[in-house]
Amino acid sequence: MSIVSEDDGREYIQGWRVAATLTALFLVSLICQIDRILPFVMAEAIKADLALSDTGVGSLTGAAFAVCYTLLSLPLARASDRGSPRLVIALCTLLWSTMTALGGFAASFLFLAFTRFGVAFGEAGATPAGHAIIARKINPEHRGLAIALFALGLPLGTMVGFAGGGAVSDTLGWRAALIGAGAAGAAIGLLALAIISPTPPIRSRATRNEPFFRASYRLLSSANFRWLFIGAIIGSFAAAPFYAFATPFLIRTHGYSAGEAGLAFGLLQGLMGILGTLIGGRWFDRAVRSGSGKVLGPPAILFLIASTTTAAALFASIGWLSILLLVPSMLSFAFLLPWGFGAAHLVAGKGKEAMASSLVMIASGLFGPAIGPLIVGLISDAATKAQMPNGLAIGMLTVPVASAVTGIVLLIANRQIAASLRRS
């Protein structure tokens, strides 16, 4: 038998169907990340061709995209929980791929901005729908690894996007890169629709009939989920400034060239992203099978370790030592992904996995990316103006502080969730 049925409408697949489904989801995640970062890679070419200012380029890739992406994820998550996440992820993939390709025909800032909002709209449904498919199709004993394989598209998509997107842009132009990525995404969307088996709605009257905002409020009212939600918010205040300023820090403080800093940081980040998601997923599955309910302890400890090493990295006098001391932070951000989403699904319960994922995405994708780098920049400018040495390092101290607080909050959430699961 290749399918195991449950009485709530779930059909756990087995054998080759598992590999095929996870491959399709990985490809969706991969092309999602590639399409998201292509404008970063080709910013200079786009700016020159369309005569844009830096402000215009920033608006295409900054807060407006993040706000649209995170806030639209909630209604699309609700559609995944109540309906067919298979159709949601396929239609969303086709939508953002079409808009990516249309961006290659843009002759003005307004048209390109319109296509990027379309990309944000489509990509907002990818993670919630993907997690809903995993929750309905993959046996709970292997769900952490499944989430990790899905999340693996993030670091690999970043690496492919920067390397491949830059190469295509240099040889064929930025328009060809967008059109090609859009065509590839459309093919992956159709492939996912063909490979992933139908996902009938879960037969739960409470899940289907509970109003949209009431369901969200009920989940956020739970102390277990609330602490996890707070941890995701604070964690984003560590991650966003880390990625925004790590390379400039290495260039200014240790004299690396942009190429040297980018290569060292990019390769290590890609490697830690792969190891962190895969090891984190397997470890999460073991924690769930243990029955202890302690499903956030290891990432909490890693964040506490990373806070110490990152603080040391900011004031290390040797360049290569500073880079090595940044590695635990790179690992911690990736390692948390399967633990955070997996714990959110456990707390939310059956039929609300996509909504739980969406709320975690809002927590991690809205506040920290919009405010965190700004805070670091303000502190760095103030320190430099006051003639303090290494002003950027002083500003980046917000990263280890936020990491330490994240670790503490995750330990509280770990204790709350464990107690709740034992009572149930």
Side-chain angles (χ1 to χ4, degrees):
M1 296 292 292
S2 60
I3 296 178
V4 178
S5 299
E6 285 202 350
D7 59 5
D8 66 352
R10 294 168 186 258
E11 296 178 340
Y12 296 143
I13 55 178
Q14 295 179 338
W16 66 269
R17 290 180 181 269
V18 174
T21 297
L22 292 179
T23 298
L25 290 177
F26 165 75
L27 290 174
V28 168
S29 176
L30 181 75
I31 197 66
C32 177
Q33 182 67 4
I34 291 173
D35 287 356
R36 186 183 309 168
I37 68 169
L38 277 180
F40 290 95
V41 183
M42 306 179 300
E44 288 301 308
I46 294 173
K47 178 183 175 183
D49 195 359
L50 298 183
L52 302 181
S53 65
D54 284 336
T55 301
V57 173
S59 65
L60 289 174
T61 59
F65 185 97
V67 170
C68 182
Y69 173 79
T70 53
L71 295 184
L72 283 172
S73 68
L74 197 53
L76 290 171
R78 186 63 164 168
S80 298
D81 281 334
R82 299 183 68 172
S84 171
R86 167 178 173 261
L87 290 178
V88 171
I89 201 169
L91 292 176
C92 283
T93 305
L94 290 173
L95 172 61
W96 88 61
S97 299
T98 300
M99 300 305 285
T100 298
L102 285 176
F105 297 95
S108 67
F109 167 79
L110 288 178
F111 187 83
L112 185 58
F114 168 74
T115 64
R116 295 311 297 174
F117 276 109
V119 172
F121 188 107
E123 292 192 353
T127 297
H131 286 173
I133 291 170
I134 290 172
R136 296 193 198 181
K137 296 294 182 183
I138 306 300
N139 192 294
E141 294 184 355
H142 308 293
R143 194 162 295 164
L145 180 59
I147 293 174
L149 290 171
F150 182 49
L152 194 60
L154 298 178
L156 289 180
T158 299
M159 295 174 68
V160 172
F162 272 100
V168 173
S169 178
D170 288 342
T171 55
L172 300 177
W174 67 270
R175 297 180 184 276
L178 288 179
I179 294 170
I188 289 173
L190 294 174
L191 181 68
L193 187 63
I195 289 178
I196 300 171
S197 57
T199 48
I202 293 177
R203 295 187 292 271
S204 170
R205 181 175 298 179
T207 298
R208 290 176 61 83
N209 296 336
E210 189 173 23
F212 174 74
F213 288 107
R214 183 183 299 174
S216 302
Y217 177 76
R218 183 186 298 275
L219 192 53
L220 287 171
S221 298
S222 163
N224 302 337
F225 192 86
R226 188 165 58 248
W227 279 108
L228 178 58
F229 186 81
I230 294 171
I233 292 175
I234 301 173
S236 69
F237 277 88
F242 179 82
Y243 291 120
F245 288 105
T247 300
F249 164 77
L250 293 174
I251 294 172
R252 295 184 201 177
T253 305
H254 296 291
Y256 288 106
S257 67
E260 292 170 340
L263 180 63
F265 188 82
L267 288 177
L268 282 172
Q269 175 56 42
L271 179 60
M272 291 304 104
I274 294 169
L275 291 177
T277 52
L278 292 179
I279 295 174
R282 292 296 298 270
W283 200 338
F284 175 79
D285 286 334
R286 290 178 58 187
V288 172
R289 287 196 295 268
S290 72
S292 66
K294 297 179 179 180
V295 292
L296 286 173
I301 294 172
L302 183 55
F303 264 87
L304 293 174
I305 294 173
S307 69
T308 302
T309 61
T310 302
L314 295 176
F315 298 98
S317 59
I318 304 174
W320 63 263
L321 178 60
S322 180
I323 292 174
L324 288 180
L325 289 170
L326 293 175
V327 167
S329 278
M330 302 178 192
L331 183 63
S332 67
F333 299 137
F335 187 75
L336 179 60
L337 286 173
W339 291 87
F341 283 121
H345 295 172
L346 288 176
V347 173
K350 293 182 178 180
K352 296 182 180 179
E353 292 93 348
M355 176 171 288
S357 293
S358 175
L359 289 172
V360 171
M361 287 171 57
I362 290 173
S364 62
L366 186 58
F367 304 103
I371 303 174
L374 176 62
I375 294 174
V376 173
L378 290 172
I379 296 174
S380 175
D381 288 342
T384 302
K385 187 176 181 179
Q387 298 183 342
M388 299 176 66
N390 208 354
L392 182 55
I394 295 173
M396 286 188 68
L397 281 173
T398 60
V399 174
V401 170
S403 292
V405 177
T406 300
I408 294 171
V409 171
L410 290 178
L411 286 175
I412 296 173
N414 181 58
R415 185 177 60 190
Q416 292 268 359
I417 294 172
S420 175
L421 293 177
R422 284 196 297 269
R423 287 195 299 268
S424 61

